[in-house]
Amino acid sequence: QVQVVESGGGLVQAGGSLSVSCVASGRIFSINDMGWYRQAPGKQRELVAQISSGGSTIYADSVKGRFTISRDNAKNTVYLQMDSLKPEDTAVYYCRVTLRTGQQARTYQYWGQGTQVAVSS
């Protein structure tokens, strides 16, 4: 089995910074993409940032220039550094990992349980 666990987050004032991290463990052969999504109350879950195994990144327009995604392949860990936070960044942040559990080509997606980020004005 595979476990995906987020940590970090919390409460910060607007303009401040927070970081969240996510580690995948268990039956992992290789990890493809790792990404962060968020879901605010009453809204759909949306992509925040994603990073490939080779380090290519994708960011939502709303966070470009403020958030930075990175990963440590040796630790199966992905990080999200969030700077210049705004109240509209308030949401539950979820980690999603796309991986292979064996030599077969099929990939699987696993989600973490989510971590709350709250930004006060």
Side-chain angles (χ1 to χ4, degrees):
Q1 298 299 324
V2 174
Q3 296 80 41
V4 176
V5 179
E6 301 106 336
S7 60
L11 174 64
V12 68
Q13 288 188 333
S17 298
L18 281 175
S19 63
V20 290
S21 60
C22 165
V23 59
S25 62
R27 187 184 175 188
I28 298 172
F29 179 78
S30 65
I31 296 178
N32 295 4
D33 297 333
M34 304 182 84
W36 288 96
Y37 289 70
R38 67 187 181 188
Q39 187 167 19
K43 294 187 177 181
Q44 290 189 337
R45 192 172 296 187
E46 63 176 1
L47 173 68
V48 176
Q50 180 175 290
I51 185 167
S52 71
S53 57
S56 298
T57 57
I58 298 172
Y59 291 94
D61 288 342
S62 59
V63 307
K64 283 181 181 177
R66 300 188 298 121
F67 289 13
T68 303
I69 189 170
S70 60
R71 63 189 281 174
D72 184 333
N73 292 329
K75 296 181 179 180
N76 291 343
T77 301
V78 61
Y79 307 94
L80 185 68
Q81 175 65 39
M82 301 177 285
D83 299 319
S84 302
L85 282 160
K86 304 175 181 179
E88 50 263 44
D89 294 318
T90 296
V92 177
Y93 283 68
Y94 297 91
C95 175
R96 190 187 80 172
V97 179
T98 303
L99 56 83
R100 294 163 61 196
T101 58
Q103 292 186 343
Q104 73 281 1
R106 180 177 178 178
T107 59
Y108 299 85
Q109 290 183 343
Y110 290 88
W111 291 87
Q113 79 286 353
T115 186
Q116 178 71 52
V117 170
V119 184
S120 63
S121 57

